[in-house]
Amino acid sequence: EPHVIVLDFHLVEDKDADIRDDKRLISGYRALAKVLKGSYNKPLGSFGRQVIIFTATSRIENILLLKEGNADGFILKEKPEKYQGKQITKDAISKMVATLERALERAEFLIRLNGKINELNATSLGIEPKLSDTIRAVSESVRLITQSNDINEGVLKLTYLNIFSILEYIKSSKKIKINDYIKVTAPNEILKDWNNIDNVRNALAHGDKKVEIDNREQLLSIDLIKDWALKLCDFIKAYLNHLIISEVNDRHT
């Protein structure tokens, strides 16, 4: 379960094209798309983990193909026959280090986020179908947003508000009574986060720079949004478990 995977593009000799179509080849692309990452709507086990392609290819069609396969970055290695001196090598190594540092930072958040999204989807199986469909659609949207962009304030805002839309669906449903859960049934460790979760949502929706957390005003930073996006997932999961238990009890009654 690594945070970052460095994957060579050429896993066979003397092949630099037609990687997509030649099913006999064990290429970096096939490992990326069929074994590691998958896609935002059919994620594999390493979605969220950062896969950095190590390659000397400069063919634009190959680079685009790897991006299509959800590669998270590239380390371009020098070709020995085109060696241009030590300074170029030093620059290449510096870029490699920067790429890996950025990948580690992204992975720290995205592995946890995707894990919690997977838990929400697993927990939603067997509950009210439209709610399950809503969770699946939000999951796909969040994966697409975070895979395709830098994890900046704007992307995190979209991520949080997308996840919060699950609660908005629940609130609008006549079949699901979340207010009773919040006021009566929610365990204290979950309930204590509710006001903060709602405050973060309102601050993001209104474009505020600060938010009230535990009755104290705080700067609405990237780290704070990351933290509360994960806590929001936990809150929704706890509520889904409550729904499942309530339905089982109702059937037995």
Side-chain angles (χ1 to χ4, degrees):
E1 297 186 347
H3 278 55
V4 178
I5 298 164
V6 179
L7 177 65
D8 203 343
F9 177 42
H10 291 150
L11 302 181
V12 291
E13 293 294 331
D14 300 324
K15 294 286 183 180
D16 196 29
D18 301 324
I19 295 297
R20 184 203 302 264
D21 299 323
D22 194 339
K23 295 182 179 180
R24 297 169 299 170
L25 299 180
I26 304 175
S27 69
Y29 170 74
R30 287 181 60 76
L32 173 72
K34 306 297 183 183
V35 179
L36 295 172
K37 297 280 281 198
S39 61
Y40 68 92
N41 56 347
K42 292 182 180 178
L44 298 176
S46 292
F47 205 98
R49 303 181 193 282
Q50 300 296 283
V51 182
I52 306 299
I53 304 298
F54 190 54
T55 181
T57 184
S58 57
R59 294 176 64 116
I60 188 62
E61 61 267 33
N62 286 338
I63 299 298
L64 293 175
L65 179 62
L66 290 161
K67 287 294 289 182
E68 181 185 308
N70 289 315
D72 296 290
F74 299 88
I75 296 173
L76 298 178
K77 54 187 174 182
E78 292 181 275
K79 295 180 179 180
E81 65 273 17
K82 295 185 178 180
Y83 177 70
Q84 298 180 44
K86 290 183 179 180
Q87 187 56 49
I88 300 298
T89 301
K90 288 180 180 179
D91 292 344
I93 292 171
S94 294
K95 289 178 182 178
M96 177 181 70
V97 171
T99 296
L100 294 175
E101 287 177 343
R102 175 178 175 272
L104 284 167
E105 184 178 347
R106 284 174 59 85
E108 192 68 37
F109 172 64
L110 291 180
I111 290 172
R112 296 176 67 195
L113 178 65
N114 278 277
K116 291 186 184 296
I117 286 173
N118 290 339
E119 289 174 1
L120 288 181
N121 278 280
T123 308
S124 72
L125 296 176
I127 63 174
E128 201 259 334
K130 288 186 178 179
L131 175 55
S132 185
D133 290 344
T134 297
I135 291 170
R136 184 170 60 253
V138 167
S139 300
E140 292 178 5
S141 176
V142 167
R143 288 194 189 100
L144 182 60
I145 291 167
T146 55
Q147 173 65 35
S148 306
N149 297 285
D150 290 334
I151 308 301
N152 55 34
E153 187 174 330
V155 166
L156 287 169
K157 175 179 177 178
L158 284 174
T159 297
Y160 190 96
L161 294 177
N162 262 270
I163 299 170
F164 196 91
S165 69
I166 297 171
L167 288 181
E168 290 175 334
Y169 172 81
I170 292 170
K171 286 181 178 182
S172 69
S173 173
K174 295 179 180 178
K175 296 180 181 179
I176 307 171
K177 302 187 185 307
I178 194 171
N179 287 336
D180 292 344
Y181 173 74
I182 292 171
K183 293 176 181 178
V184 180
T185 314
N188 288 334
E189 65 272 17
I190 298 296
L191 185 59
K192 69 182 177 62
D193 287 338
W194 169 244
N195 285 337
N196 295 329
I197 285 169
D198 206 32
N199 288 344
V200 172
R201 182 265 174 202
N202 291 335
L204 291 173
H206 298 151
D208 297 339
K209 297 299 182 183
K210 294 184 178 180
V211 61
E212 189 174 282
I213 300 291
D214 294 332
N215 299 315
R216 186 167 62 89
E217 197 172 63
Q218 295 187 35
L219 185 67
L220 197 62
S221 66
I222 284 177
D223 286 341
L224 186 145
I225 304 172
K226 285 181 180 178
D227 188 31
W228 284 100
L230 299 175
K231 290 181 179 180
L232 173 56
C233 291
D234 289 338
F235 182 89
I236 295 171
K237 180 186 173 185
Y239 181 66
L240 294 179
N241 283 323
H242 165 73
L243 274 184
I244 292 167
I245 293 169
S246 297
E247 288 178 6
V248 170
N249 290 340
D250 288 345
R251 284 198 293 269
H252 287 168
T253 302

